[in-house]
Amino acid sequence: MCGIGGLVDYERGARVWSDVGRRMDRVLTPRGPDGGQQYMDDTALLVHRRLIVVDPDGGGQPMASPDGKIILIYNGELYNTEDLRVLLLAKGHVFLGHSDTEVLLHAYLEWGTAAFERLNGIYAFALWDKAHAQLILCRDRLGVKPLFYSCRKNGLVFGSEIKAILCHPEIQPRVGADGLRSVLLLGPARPPGFGVFEGIDELLPGHYAVLTPEHLSIRPYWTLRASEHTDSPAQTLARTRELIEDAANRQLVSDVPLCTFLSGGLDSSILSMLAARAYKRQNKQLHTWSVDYRDNDKYFTKSLFQPNSDADFIGQMVEAIGSAHHAVVLENPALCAALLPSVDARDLPGMADVDSSLLLFCAAVKKEFTVCQSGECADELFGGYPWYHREEILFEDTFPWSRSVDFRMQLLQDGVVQDGPAFVRQHYLDTCAAADKLPGESKKDARMREMFLLNLRWFMATLLDRKDRMSMYSGLEVRVPFCDHRIVEYAYNMPWHLKAWDGREKGIVRKAFENDLPTEIVWRKKSPYPKTFSPEYTGLVCSYVRQIMQDEHSYIPKLFRADAIEELLAAPDDMPEPWYGQLMRGPQVFAYLIQLDRWFKKYRISLV
């Protein structure tokens, strides 16, 4: 994994912006701590920071084609590298190393933009065609790897993170009406392709952009399509297992140490089990990692969204697979303090302590490992959340994980946002309308497709955003095998009665692996990423918010009603539903306000 950035300026040229390249290199260093290189000619500037995972000697970037006319900078991993290499060798291509970067470059030389449809992986890359003065940007199908850009009058600026775009002196940290509505009413989510800052966009997943001196064109190379599911129940079980196992095994390739995150939940347990078996065949022991909080055993509170804690289940899995396990226990003061750097990592307010805890966790893992696997995205694809199973939520005409637009509006000062509920609703309706369906589908089957796409484009996108920024802030690569596009396509077209086998969340996945895991793990009720329940943490964030509300230099008192915030501070556990997702309740709302305050001050946001 790496960090990329750069610009094209057809009028003034790239050399006048050499200082921008140096600043980009500096701000992207956490993503690529192992080295940095740049390419510059009269028109284009390309910046690359490298995190070495595969082919330390042969994978350096920027990488040029044999004739020197095409220059590639790349952030990501290809999981079908060897499949592509075989095809390219048969066509006469010669490789100097074994990196996926070189394979990607030669794939483009052979097939042009048609090569993108052949890729299986997580990636964001830029190709500069010197002969045609053409820049191509491309992003993976699910948007696991980020890629932002800003169109200029005579060119374009791009980068892995928003902070790289802001290195350009002509791009200012301004936030308009839509940006403010996004962070206040949709946050920590944001509309697909929207960078929140004025003039900054994100290349949509499954799309590529072509910049020429005349114009910028953006095109999809992958779209999620409805098709008839013809496999029998037995075939569906077998195919589900085959796809998950193949994706997991492909993503074990690494020239540096690799581990897995293990929560004791179904998804991380499957990946850890498969990795442990593969390592055992090589006479190696898998290392697994988990996260918890000081005194959580004392204060844990059951809820619909979090029915049990993880500790006992982690122990069962460690014993079953024989891993060397590492448990990271976070202190509540550190969790609160990390709210600030987690904003710096994301360039936006995020998922509060769900972000900051992952930031600290990844920093601990990075001390011993560079690559890990994580179980994100199975819930979105296979119906793991309560809103898939409770019909009063399933058919509710709104985002199921963020139904509190009215509550959010009640916290805001009058006039802070205009047409807020309509803004949120339109994004919801647009996503539902984009869900591809088959003629004659039942009301429930049609709604399940809408719910699938809502989760894919919004909830899953937010989690992937979190995973990338919090991990790469410490130079840790996190792979997410359930995001393999083949799994996504198969799950989208799987009938609900098969997906919810035995009426259970992720029932098809449980059934497919029921003979591989301890019974308690297979049939454990879904429990999300752990959060702290400690009153110490609640006290810390409450105290912090009270200071912010008294700070004349803070934007927060100008945006939020003091009486409404004080009422919430008096009873932080009385929120009727989460602010966002399953975990963001009272303490996390305060943490979100802390992150908003940090964002306005750190980035010197101006409202327009």
Side-chain angles (χ1 to χ4, degrees):
M1 294 300 167
C2 305
I4 64 172
L7 59 86
V8 170
D9 192 323
Y10 291 114
E11 183 179 276
R12 290 168 288 185
R15 299 190 189 279
V16 301
W17 304 115
S18 59
D19 191 50
V20 173
R22 287 189 288 270
R23 289 198 293 269
M24 284 185 170
D25 178 272
R26 185 169 60 252
V27 301
L28 291 172
T29 293
R31 297 187 71 90
D34 297 329
Q37 296 291 332
Q38 297 184 30
Y39 166 87
M40 185 164 59
D41 61 25
D42 289 341
T43 309
L45 166 66
L46 305 179
V47 178
H48 186 266
R49 291 296 315 185
R50 189 180 185 196
L51 176 66
I52 297 176
V53 174
V54 174
D55 196 2
D57 298 325
Q61 300 178 48
M63 184 177 286
S65 60
D67 62 6
K69 294 180 179 179
I70 306 293
I71 312 297
L72 168 67
I73 53 174
Y74 164 60
N75 165 34
E77 295 279 351
L78 291 185
Y79 302 126
N80 62 338
T81 298
E82 297 311 313
D83 300 337
L84 293 173
R85 194 192 310 274
V86 168
L87 294 174
L88 292 165
L89 285 170
K91 292 179 177 292
H93 290 259
V94 176
F95 295 94
L96 303 179
H98 67 272
S99 74
D100 53 344
T101 306
E102 190 177 14
V103 169
L104 172 59
L105 178 57
H106 281 261
Y108 176 74
L109 296 176
E110 179 64 35
W111 297 299
T113 57
F116 305 159
E117 301 173 11
R118 298 173 178 262
L119 306 180
N120 179 337
I122 55 177
Y123 46 81
F125 58 83
L127 289 151
W128 172 240
D129 184 335
K130 295 168 59 176
H132 299 94
Q134 175 177 278
L135 178 74
I136 296 174
L137 303 176
C138 183
R139 192 173 179 212
D140 67 72
R141 292 170 178 83
L142 280 304
V144 178
K145 292 287 107 182
L147 186 55
F148 295 90
Y149 67 94
S150 180
C151 294
R152 313 307 301 151
K153 183 180 179 181
N154 295 290
L156 179 144
V157 183
F158 68 92
S160 293
E161 297 179 0
I162 291 171
K163 61 175 64 71
I165 310 290
L166 293 174
C167 288
H168 196 291
E170 295 180 354
I171 303 174
Q172 298 301 309
R174 294 191 291 263
V175 174
D178 284 352
L180 195 60
R181 283 190 285 245
S182 291
V183 297
L184 296 179
L185 300 181
L186 288 169
R190 54 187 169 84
F194 185 51
V196 177
F197 292 83
E198 287 285 287
I200 296 180
D201 296 297
E202 188 172 25
L203 188 63
L204 286 167
H207 284 65
Y208 69 97
V210 180
L211 176 73
T212 67
E214 292 74 35
H215 66 281
L216 174 73
S217 61
I218 299 176
R219 308 161 191 168
Y221 67 92
W222 180 78
T223 304
L224 193 57
R225 295 296 186 193
S227 62
E228 186 179 357
H229 184 87
T230 58
D231 287 350
S232 68
Q235 290 170 326
T236 304
L237 274 174
R239 182 59 175 159
T240 299
R241 181 189 175 91
E242 176 189 354
L243 286 170
I244 294 171
E245 190 164 359
D246 183 66
N249 287 332
R250 284 177 181 270
Q251 297 188 31
L252 289 174
V253 176
S254 175
D255 289 341
V256 296
L258 179 147
C259 62
T260 64
F261 290 171
L262 176 61
S263 69
L266 179 70
D267 314 322
S268 67
S269 295
I270 289 172
L271 296 181
S272 297
M273 175 272 297
L274 292 171
R277 286 183 178 177
Y279 271 43
K280 189 174 182 179
R281 290 192 291 269
Q282 303 170 41
N283 294 316
K284 296 193 297 184
Q285 184 182 31
L286 176 72
H287 286 250
T288 53
W289 291 76
S290 65
V291 64
D292 205 347
Y293 307 87
R294 181 71 62 200
D295 295 330
N296 239 24
D297 55 341
K298 186 189 304 183
Y299 296 112
F300 177 79
T301 303
K302 292 184 179 182
S303 68
L304 170 66
F305 294 119
Q306 199 148 21
N308 44 48
S309 60
D310 291 334
D312 291 343
F313 300 99
I314 292 170
Q316 288 186 50
M317 276 305 301
V318 168
E319 184 177 353
I321 65 177
S323 67
H325 190 68
H326 311 257
V328 177
V329 179
L330 302 180
E331 302 291 342
N332 290 293
L335 185 66
C336 181
L339 290 169
L340 306 186
S342 63
V343 175
D344 305 348
R346 197 192 271 256
D347 295 320
L348 290 164
M351 297 186 76
D353 48 73
V354 184
D355 273 12
S356 64
S357 61
L358 184 61
L359 189 85
L360 295 172
F361 181 42
C362 289
V365 176
K366 174 61 178 180
K367 292 176 182 177
E368 298 187 41
F369 288 85
T370 301
V371 185
C372 62
Q373 284 191 0
S374 181
E376 260 82 6
C377 306
D379 291 303
E380 289 80 6
L381 306 182
F382 292 103
Y385 296 119
W387 49 74
Y388 278 104
H389 298 266
R390 296 176 58 189
E391 295 213 354
E392 74 276 13
I393 301 178
L394 175 65
F395 286 102
E396 194 170 8
D397 198 20
T398 185
F399 291 111
W401 51 82
S402 186
R403 312 201 305 270
S404 55
V405 175
D406 290 344
F407 173 70
R408 292 188 185 214
M409 290 292 293
Q410 291 166 14
L411 296 181
L412 298 176
Q413 299 274 13
D414 292 341
V416 166
V417 298
Q418 302 294 325
D419 303 319
F423 173 81
V424 173
R425 178 158 178 76
Q426 192 58 56
H427 280 295
Y428 164 79
L429 292 174
D430 290 346
T431 308
C432 290
D436 197 37
K437 301 170 185 175
L438 294 177
E441 288 187 316
S442 69
K443 180 182 177 182
K444 185 168 185 177
D445 286 340
R447 180 57 177 169
M448 283 298 179
R449 290 196 187 275
E450 293 175 353
M451 188 64 76
F452 191 104
L453 202 64
L454 286 166
N455 276 268
L456 194 76
R457 291 189 176 180
W458 290 87
F459 200 72
M460 192 171 101
T462 304
L463 293 178
L464 291 175
D465 229 16
R466 162 184 174 259
K467 182 68 74 176
D468 175 84
R469 304 309 195 286
M470 298 309 114
S471 60
M472 293 302 291
Y473 189 77
S474 295
L476 178 71
E477 175 190 321
V478 178
R479 299 173 177 176
V480 280
F482 284 101
C483 272
D484 188 299
H485 71 276
R486 300 168 301 162
I487 298 175
V488 174
E489 291 168 345
Y490 195 67
Y492 185 65
N493 290 297
M494 188 185 299
W496 179 247
H497 72 275
L498 293 178
K499 191 178 293 186
W501 196 291
D502 287 336
R504 289 299 307 273
E505 70 278 7
K506 294 180 290 191
I508 187 74
V509 180
R510 296 177 191 275
K511 188 68 176 177
F513 289 93
E514 68 175 342
N515 295 322
D516 299 274
L517 304 172
T519 302
E520 294 84 353
I521 302 292
V522 174
W523 301 109
R524 177 190 178 188
K525 190 171 178 61
K526 186 231 170 356
S527 190
Y529 180 86
K531 71 170 183 176
T532 181
F533 291 86
S534 172
E536 179 187 22
Y537 177 77
T538 301
L540 288 166
V541 293
C542 286
S543 176
Y544 202 143
V545 167
R546 287 193 170 95
Q547 294 177 39
I548 290 172
M549 293 303 292
Q550 299 299 317
D551 182 358
E552 63 182 16
H553 301 295
S554 176
Y555 252 114
I556 303 308
K558 302 171 186 176
L559 300 176
F560 291 87
R561 291 170 43 211
D563 60 331
I565 297 301
E566 191 56 46
E567 183 179 342
L568 191 59
L569 285 165
D573 297 322
D574 289 348
M575 286 181 62
E577 62 184 34
W579 174 269
Y580 184 86
Q582 305 166 84
L583 302 179
M584 293 182 70
R585 291 189 173 271
Q588 287 71 41
V589 174
F590 305 140
Y592 191 70
L593 295 180
I594 293 168
Q595 291 194 316
L596 272 171
D597 180 67
R598 169 69 166 193
W599 183 59
F600 274 103
K601 290 175 179 175
K602 170 82 174 183
Y603 290 81
R604 300 181 179 180
I605 304 294
S606 60
L607 298 179
V608 295

